[in-house]
């Protein structure tokens, strides 16, 4: 069997595992979500605890919960019995991860957690294990087999735990009414935050870089303005300064072959009327979406009075890390 064939077999086994866990979902999942939402509403948090590979998965689950507004911390089950239990408060919810449900370090921790009146949600593949018997809500993550050829190394089981954790995080997110602008608050310096918090007015070209002309200006004069602004387009305004059209270097190339007198014609005879534009107060992510939807190179920015106040060039977006 080739290496790629073995890889496909691993994918098949892990997909089989995820489907099996999906089939286990029932009202206990709803109970888990409600426990978490209520704890967070009471200013509590989610304490994630696990050992070995389950602990590694727990760290990712905690990170996903926290990044989507559900305060979560990771508790090391060994250090917990030597002082780190101070991280747990009354009203917290504990996510206990152990596929066997018999991880010694986690089992020894259960009585101490119970003293805090903390609700315990267990993610385990053993529904009759010690962890399963002592939890408040059991989420069954049992898989038919591991992807390991010896059925030993945690592979399918850890993938199933990870997906269950993602499902919890997303269900809690929606139950709490978490919105896009909330998401941006927790990612202010990443690409997501930049796209969600940056406004078009912050990135547009203005002043000499924003070419504008009255609609009776000739094409020749317009080209000189575009060259001076180093822009591939020019916003065209009427006598009241309102945007009425656009003229681009693409328009010039299309017209020049069929019209020898093009350079002397006024812009209103060759411009594209009702051009695509965006408000200066719009989010930068909306500009990115418009570039993708309309396959354009430049986007005219207008104010509330529909006056062109700037220009967004698609070439600027990669430098701003918005695409």
């Amino acid at each position: 069997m080739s290496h790629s064939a073995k890889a496909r077999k691993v994918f098949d086994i892990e997909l089989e595992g995820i489907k099996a866990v999906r089939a286990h979902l029932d009202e206990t999942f709803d109970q888990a979500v409600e426990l978490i939402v209520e704890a967070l509403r009471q200013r509590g948090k989610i304490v994630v605890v696990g050992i070995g590979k389950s602990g590694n998965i727990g760290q990712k689950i905690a990170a996903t919960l926290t990044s989507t507004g559900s305060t979560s911390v990771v508790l090391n089950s060994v250090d917990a019995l030597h002082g780190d239990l101070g991280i747990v408060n009354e009203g917290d919810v504990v996510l206990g991860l152990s596929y066997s449900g018999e991880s010694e370090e986690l089992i020894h921790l259960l009585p101490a957690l119970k003293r805090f009146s903390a609700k315990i949600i267990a993610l385990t593949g053993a529904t009759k294990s010690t962890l399963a018997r002592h939890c408040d809500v059991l989420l069954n993550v049992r898989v038919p087999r591991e992807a390991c050829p010896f059925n030993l190394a945690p592979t399918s089981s850890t993938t199933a735990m990870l997906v269950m954790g993602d499902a919890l995080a997303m269900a809690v997110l929606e139950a709490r009414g978490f919105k896009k602008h909330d998401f941006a608050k927790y990612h202010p310096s990443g690409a997501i935050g930049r796209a969600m918090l940056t406004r078009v007015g912050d990135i547009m070209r203005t002043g000499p870089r924003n070419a504008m002309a009255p609609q009776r200006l000739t094409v020749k004069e317009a080209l000189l303005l575009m060259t001076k602004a180093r822009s591939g387009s020019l916003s065209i305004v009427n006598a009241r300064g309102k945007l009425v059209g656009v003229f681009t270097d693409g328009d010039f190339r299309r017209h020049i072959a069929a019209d020898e007198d093009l350079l002397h014609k006024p812009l209103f005879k060759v411009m594209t009327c009702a051009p695509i534009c965006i408000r200066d107060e719009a989010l930068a992510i909306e500009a990115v979406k418009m570039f993708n939807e309309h396959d354009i190179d430049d986007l005219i920015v207008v104010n509330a009075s529909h006056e062109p106040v700037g220009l967004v060039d698609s070439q600027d977006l990669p430098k701003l890390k918005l695409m």
Side-chain angles (χ1 to χ4, degrees), residues 18-34:
I18 292 173
K19 289 179 180 178
V21 173
R22 183 180 184 276
H24 299 325
L25 289 173
D26 55 21
E27 67 278 0
T28 58
F29 184 85
D30 297 332
Q31 294 169 14
V33 172
E34 289 164 9

Side-chain angles (χ1 to χ4, degrees), residues 7 103 129 132 151 169 184 194 231-232 246-247 292 306 318:
S103 299
S129 63
N151 197 32
R194 282 191 294 272
S231 173
V246 64
F247 185 73
N292 293 333
H306 205 66

